[in-house]
Amino acid sequence: MGILDIFKSENSKPKTALKRKKETEKFLKSINVPFIEHLPMIEEENEVRIRKPAEITKRILVLTYLNYIAEEPDSKIEVIEFLKSNGLWEKVSPDEKLLFKSEELTEQELINISWRSEAIWVLLWAINKVEEIELPIEQVEIMEIVSKLPKFMSNPTEYIKSATIRPTSEILDFSDLTYRIHWATRNAELNNEKSLEFHPSIVMERHYAINWVTFYEEEWDDISTDT
């Protein structure tokens, strides 16, 4: 059972943002994770914008190939040509284009790119390529991600067409939970507390990804993860 199963309802009516907030807080209390009641609600279900599955899928592929060239820099030219020939280069953000074209990535850039695998996992979940998502404790295995992707350097058209978006209610349940978990991890770091099992970098990447899916900002490079 995934963590979001506990939030599922038989009621067909859209869940209000307040109800979603209360459910998240109840769950966090049940697993001894602190929260603050005055942390705002997220968007209402009938007001939020959700990105199209094709756009999410293309973002997954961009992030995947960025991860690849970080590991295999000699393949950079070949990968860029592949992205251009398959209509994906235009989906590469300005900051990412600098990384793709960099002669040599810094150690910090390599670390940042590597952590994007956690964002990829959330995006795969959003388009139903991953069935369930668990609490942000253990890093996703790269081979798990690879198993959900099209064959390396193959035409991605059919893969993109096959993507479907999760129900808005599930996306918002995940968004609300991630938002409040991120507050808890930041609060723990500020107070030098070691009681939480959550990995701060996993939480950060998940929050970044889901905020992009829900149009927290228009562009990937501009996303923030306020708490």
Side-chain angles (χ1 to χ4, degrees):
M1 184 177 78
I3 54 172
L4 297 181
D5 288 342
I6 63 170
F7 299 123
K8 288 182 178 177
S9 171
E10 299 297 326
N11 194 330
S12 60
K13 291 183 179 179
K15 191 185 298 182
T16 66
L18 179 59
K19 179 175 174 57
R20 179 168 282 109
K21 175 179 181 289
K22 293 297 183 184
E23 287 182 351
T24 301
E25 290 171 345
K26 182 179 179 181
F27 171 68
L28 293 176
K29 186 176 182 179
S30 74
I31 59 172
N32 297 314
V33 173
F35 60 88
I36 49 171
E37 292 187 3
H38 61 266
L39 200 65
M41 295 176 287
I42 63 168
E43 303 93 330
E44 292 288 355
E45 198 164 320
N46 59 359
E47 296 175 352
V48 69
R49 294 165 61 207
I50 304 292
R51 293 187 193 266
K52 301 296 184 185
E55 184 180 5
I56 297 173
T57 309
K58 291 173 183 178
R59 174 109 301 270
I60 289 167
L61 294 171
V62 167
L63 291 171
T64 298
Y65 283 104
L66 181 58
N67 260 270
Y68 179 74
I69 63 102
E71 295 291 331
E72 301 289 342
D74 291 343
S75 301
K76 195 174 297 182
I77 294 175
E78 182 184 6
V79 167
I80 290 174
E81 285 305 312
F82 168 80
L83 294 174
K84 287 180 177 179
S85 64
N86 286 279
L88 295 172
W89 184 247
E90 63 196 45
K91 299 300 180 182
V92 179
S93 75
D95 287 353
E96 289 168 337
K97 284 180 178 176
L98 293 176
L99 296 172
F100 270 107
K101 293 179 176 180
S102 174
E103 288 189 12
E104 185 175 358
L105 296 169
T106 67
E107 183 177 351
Q108 189 58 55
E109 286 170 339
L110 290 169
I111 291 170
N112 293 345
I113 291 170
S114 176
W115 276 114
R116 284 293 192 227
S117 60
E118 298 297 334
I120 293 171
W121 194 246
V122 169
L123 298 177
L124 285 167
W125 171 83
I127 59 166
N128 290 298
K129 298 295 184 181
V130 170
E131 285 189 23
E132 297 177 345
I133 201 157
E134 303 299 336
L135 287 169
I137 298 171
E138 296 183 4
Q139 289 178 247
V140 64
E141 296 290 338
I142 295 300
M143 291 313 297
E144 283 190 88
I145 292 175
V146 171
S147 71
K148 309 295 183 182
L149 297 171
K151 187 177 178 181
F152 181 67
M153 299 283 273
S154 65
N155 187 314
T157 302
E158 291 306 314
Y159 182 79
I160 293 168
K161 286 181 179 178
S162 73
T164 58
I165 196 70
R166 277 191 181 273
T168 299
S169 59
E170 290 184 32
I171 289 173
L172 289 181
D173 284 346
F174 179 79
S175 178
D176 194 82
L177 178 62
T178 302
Y179 171 46
R180 298 181 201 287
I181 284 178
H182 203 178
W183 176 87
T185 58
R186 281 178 169 160
N187 183 64
E189 288 179 313
L190 286 171
N191 292 291
N192 200 28
E193 296 173 356
K194 307 293 184 182
S195 57
L196 295 181
E197 291 183 281
F198 306 139
H199 195 302
S201 294
I202 299 176
V203 176
M204 172 72 175
E205 292 298 329
R206 287 185 173 195
H207 199 182
Y208 198 102
I210 204 66
N211 276 0
W212 179 78
V213 170
T214 57
F215 281 97
Y216 200 80
E217 296 287 351
E218 290 289 334
E219 304 300 330
W220 177 260
D221 289 342
D222 298 334
I223 297 298
S224 61
T225 54
D226 302 332
T227 56

